[in-house]
Amino acid sequence: MFDSGYKSQYLNGQREKFVRLDGLDSRLSSPSDTGLRCGFNVEGLSCAGHANKKKSTSFKRGIRKGSEGLKSISRSLGFGVSRAVFPEDLKASEKNIFDPQDKLLQLCNKLFFISCILAVSVDPLFFYLPVIKDSSECLGIDRKLAIVTTTLRTIIDAFYLVRMVLQFRTAYIAPSSRVFGRGELVINPAKIARHYLLRYFMVDFLAVFPLPQIIVWRFLRSSNGSYVLVTKQALFFVVLLQYIPRFLRISPLTSEMKRTAGVFAETAWAGAAYYLLLYMLASHIVGALWYLFALERNDTCWRQVCSGTKVCNTDFLYCGNDDMQGYGSWANISSTVLQSNCTADGDNPPFDFGIYKSALSSGIISSRKFVSKYCYCLWWGLQNLR
């Protein structure tokens, strides 16, 4: 049955014997049928298939346990085990979600930042609306400037509404994924909307709410002079209160620009121009407040004089009340009484105007030339903030 024979060979100086079997049954040597690899050696018959199979099974079991352990750790840390989404995956996605690092969106963010600067620059123009009419010695509202100011603010705020809409469709980086360096994008529209509503939506909404426009439009539709004082006071408080959210919305916008583009100003000249612009903006705001407070100081003097005059009514001090009873008697003496008691000329005026004396003596509170009025107030703001 077997064609066997002894052969010898010298290995390392020793004589070794081995047996050659030519007719061994194929059932003992076929690895395809049984998965076993058997053979004869000096020690006898040996098979290695079961051992390797046991080792493979234990190795797979260990891999499975290890992956389950990693999953449990990730769940405990709150990372989740969902598939990560990165910018290259977002491009292939069918969802209409914008990548925060997209070049076009970065350009839009720069334009939105410029619109925010213009918005806080237009708001102080509302303080220039009250003006004194020398012809009738009354305090009124510059209607032409009111129309221009409300139109500019409406256009700028309408442009910022585009950013508010884009925020509902712009992916954001999950805070938990920033630990590992490359951030994972959240592209679920519901999560994006919830993220924006809970963080910056209320600030943006309060910033673009057209309350100053409503106050001015309400005054322009009515010709009653009693609205002059109410409009002046309402504009002062509303514009100042809205400055809080209009300045706060600049901070997340600049932070987003730094996070997506890496830098805020690409050149040193751009950074210097930005800080110079902030200085000019502060001077612009201070100058507008100085103009408004100068009018307030003049109005206080007029009220004191009016309270000591029998034929005077405080409503006569505001333009549009010339049809009231007794206004004719007051109009005959108003110019003489007010100019003699509320003049800012001279070294010792009858009323203490304080730091607003130069505003009254220069005549800017009664000037209808807006450019000269604005430049004078801006110069005063630059001079006192240097």
Side-chain angles (χ1 to χ4, degrees), residues 18-69:
F18 61 92
V19 178
R20 184 182 63 190
L21 301 177
D22 297 333
L24 190 61
D25 192 353
S26 61
R27 288 176 299 175
L28 297 178
S29 60
S30 177
S32 60
D33 295 336
T34 61
L36 300 179
R37 288 181 298 174
C38 301
F40 285 96
N41 55 20
V42 177
E43 298 177 353
L45 181 65
S46 63
C47 298
H50 291 288
N52 292 335
K53 185 176 181 180
K54 291 181 179 179
K55 291 180 180 180
S56 177
T57 303
S58 61
F59 179 76
K60 291 181 180 178
R61 189 182 299 111
I63 292 296
R64 190 180 301 110
K65 290 182 178 180
S67 61
E68 291 176 356

Side-chain angles (χ1 to χ4, degrees), residues 71-202:
K71 290 180 181 179
S72 62
I73 293 175
S74 63
R75 294 192 194 99
S76 62
L77 292 177
F79 295 155
V81 294
S82 60
R83 178 180 176 271
V85 179
F86 298 107
E88 57 269 18
D89 303 322
L90 185 59
K91 294 179 180 179
S93 177
E94 296 180 356
K95 298 182 179 180
N96 295 325
I97 303 298
F98 298 97
D99 182 10
Q101 294 183 347
D102 186 71
K103 295 294 183 181
L104 180 60
L105 194 59
Q106 291 182 16
L107 177 61
C108 292
N109 288 335
K110 293 180 180 180
L111 296 178
F112 293 140
F113 174 77
I114 295 175
S115 69
C116 291
I117 298 297
L118 291 177
V120 296
S121 301
V122 169
D123 286 350
L125 298 181
F126 286 101
F127 297 151
Y128 291 99
L129 298 186
V131 64
I132 292 178
K133 295 182 178 180
D134 290 334
S135 58
S136 55
E137 294 294 337
C138 63
L139 180 63
I141 299 293
D142 191 345
R143 290 179 175 268
K144 292 183 180 180
L145 183 60
I147 295 174
V148 173
T149 304
T150 53
T151 303
L152 287 177
R153 175 175 167 131
T154 303
I155 294 174
I156 295 173
D157 290 347
F159 180 73
Y160 192 81
L161 287 175
V162 178
R163 168 177 164 78
M164 296 180 62
V165 175
L166 289 178
Q167 287 295 100
F168 287 99
R169 308 299 298 179
T170 302
Y172 68 93
I173 300 176
S176 58
S177 64
R178 296 176 184 173
V179 181
F180 300 104
R182 192 182 184 190
E184 176 185 349
L185 295 178
V186 177
I187 62 174
N188 188 349
K191 292 183 178 180
I192 294 175
R194 183 175 180 272
H195 179 264
Y196 177 58
L197 290 174
L198 294 179
R199 289 172 66 87
Y200 301 118
F201 175 77
M202 188 55 64

Side-chain angles (χ1 to χ4, degrees), residues 79-375:
F79 295 155
V81 294
S82 60
R83 178 180 176 271
V85 179
F86 298 107
E88 57 269 18
D89 303 322
L90 185 59
K91 294 179 180 179
S93 177
E94 296 180 356
K95 298 182 179 180
N96 295 325
I97 303 298
F98 298 97
D99 182 10
Q101 294 183 347
D102 186 71
K103 295 294 183 181
L104 180 60
L105 194 59
Q106 291 182 16
L107 177 61
C108 292
N109 288 335
K110 293 180 180 180
L111 296 178
F112 293 140
F113 174 77
I114 295 175
S115 69
C116 291
I117 298 297
L118 291 177
V120 296
S121 301
V122 169
D123 286 350
L125 298 181
F126 286 101
F127 297 151
Y128 291 99
L129 298 186
V131 64
I132 292 178
K133 295 182 178 180
D134 290 334
S135 58
S136 55
E137 294 294 337
C138 63
L139 180 63
I141 299 293
D142 191 345
R143 290 179 175 268
K144 292 183 180 180
L145 183 60
I147 295 174
V148 173
T149 304
T150 53
T151 303
L152 287 177
R153 175 175 167 131
T154 303
I155 294 174
I156 295 173
D157 290 347
F159 180 73
Y160 192 81
L161 287 175
V162 178
R163 168 177 164 78
M164 296 180 62
V165 175
L166 289 178
Q167 287 295 100
F168 287 99
R169 308 299 298 179
T170 302
Y172 68 93
I173 300 176
S176 58
S177 64
R178 296 176 184 173
V179 181
F180 300 104
R182 192 182 184 190
E184 176 185 349
L185 295 178
V186 177
I187 62 174
N188 188 349
K191 292 183 178 180
I192 294 175
R194 183 175 180 272
H195 179 264
Y196 177 58
L197 290 174
L198 294 179
R199 289 172 66 87
Y200 301 118
F201 175 77
M202 188 55 64
V203 175
D204 291 340
F205 176 77
L206 294 177
V208 300
F209 190 74
L211 195 55
Q213 293 96 306
I214 295 174
I215 296 173
V216 174
W217 291 336
R218 183 172 179 266
F219 169 79
L220 294 177
R221 293 185 59 184
S222 64
S223 59
N224 193 349
S226 60
Y227 283 109
V228 174
L229 179 61
V230 176
T231 301
K232 179 175 68 68
Q233 294 177 346
L235 285 176
F236 172 70
F237 290 106
V238 168
V239 172
L240 283 184
L241 289 178
Q242 273 204 322
Y243 252 120
I244 299 175
R246 289 173 87 84
F247 269 113
L248 287 178
R249 67 178 180 177
I250 298 179
S251 177
L253 190 57
T254 54
S255 300
E256 183 177 352
M257 292 171 61
K258 291 178 182 178
R259 183 171 59 251
T260 56
V263 291
F264 174 73
E266 297 180 356
T267 62
W269 286 104
Y274 170 69
Y275 289 108
L276 178 61
L277 179 63
L278 292 182
Y279 175 68
M280 296 292 292
L281 178 61
S283 303
H284 166 55
I285 297 173
V286 172
L289 288 173
W290 178 67
Y291 172 84
L292 183 63
F293 291 155
L295 277 173
E296 287 284 348
R297 196 61 180 164
N298 185 81
D299 187 49
T300 302
C301 181
W302 280 10
R303 284 175 168 273
Q304 289 183 3
V305 174
C306 183
S307 61
T309 305
K310 294 182 180 180
V311 297
C312 181
N313 187 348
T314 54
D315 292 335
F316 297 161
L317 302 176
Y318 304 102
C319 302
N321 293 326
D322 50 355
D323 57 345
M324 295 181 63
Q325 183 179 3
Y327 182 81
S329 301
W330 165 250
N332 295 329
I333 63 172
S334 60
S335 179
T336 303
V337 172
L338 294 178
Q339 288 183 5
S340 60
N341 293 277
C342 294
T343 180
D345 299 332
D347 296 334
N348 190 17
F351 187 80
D352 185 14
F353 292 101
I355 63 174
Y356 311 109
K357 178 183 176 181
S358 60
L360 277 71
S361 60
S362 62
I364 63 170
I365 62 174
S366 59
S367 176
R368 292 301 182 99
K369 297 179 179 179
F370 173 74
V371 176
S372 60
K373 178 192 301 187
Y374 172 77
C375 292

